[in-house]
Amino acid sequence: MDLEQLRDYALSLPLVTEDSAFGPDHILFRVGERIFMCISLDRKDFFTVKCDAALAVDLRERHPEIEGAWHWNKKYWNQVRVDGELSDDFQKKLIRHSYGEVVGKLKRRFVAEHPEVLSVGVAAEEL
């Protein structure tokens, strides 16, 4: 997937917003005001997503396209190279997993008011 396809996919998920809080070279994607994905416009071959801590390490060991995210907490954040062997479907699953990880940390009231956010996540076993 190229960065425009990644952006379009992220924005297709329920209640996603985008902003450039880190400056004009970074597009942040949020749900419930919490970041779940970042695209860096000066490193167009990567995107960054949140991940379950144990799964993050496992994914890095299984896929050379996935590594600890530069300038992010590497315990939870991976950067994914878009020009590798990972299929578009797998990249979408990584994005949905990240979305689900963030939704799991949102306030119960927000989730109760917007139950559609619960339909997106991907379990670790699916990756």
Side-chain angles (χ1 to χ4, degrees):
M1 294 178 72
D2 64 30
L3 295 184
E4 191 62 34
Q5 291 170 315
L6 290 167
R7 178 182 177 267
D8 290 344
Y9 185 71
L11 289 173
S12 75
L13 302 176
L15 301 174
V16 171
T17 61
E18 69 178 334
D19 64 71
S20 296
F22 294 170
D25 293 333
H26 295 87
I27 302 172
L28 304 175
F29 298 88
R30 301 175 189 258
V31 59
E33 298 183 15
R34 294 182 61 112
I35 299 169
F36 72 92
M37 186 171 102
C38 175
I39 293 175
S40 175
L41 299 177
D42 58 352
R43 296 189 73 207
K44 295 181 180 184
D45 51 344
F46 287 94
F47 66 98
T48 303
V49 286
K50 192 167 189 174
C51 193
D52 169 80
L55 178 61
V57 173
D58 180 56
L59 289 171
R60 292 175 204 158
E61 290 173 354
R62 288 189 289 140
H63 302 284
E65 299 88 354
I66 301 175
E67 55 192 42
W70 189 64
H71 280 308
W72 294 77
N73 182 338
K74 289 167 185 54
K75 182 176 180 180
Y76 300 105
W77 291 89
N78 281 336
Q79 63 185 25
V80 181
R81 196 174 71 238
V82 298
D83 61 353
E85 299 295 319
L86 299 178
S87 69
D88 291 357
D89 184 55
F90 190 80
Q91 291 177 46
K92 289 176 181 179
K93 284 182 180 180
L94 291 170
I95 293 167
R96 290 195 321 272
H97 175 74
S98 180
Y99 181 99
E101 287 293 299
V102 169
V103 166
K105 304 290 184 192
L106 294 176
K107 293 179 181 176
R108 282 182 273 183
R109 181 177 177 184
F110 179 87
V111 175
E113 292 173 357
H114 305 286
E116 65 271 27
V117 299
L118 296 173
S119 66
V120 174
V122 170
E125 301 80 39
E126 295 181 57
L127 295 168

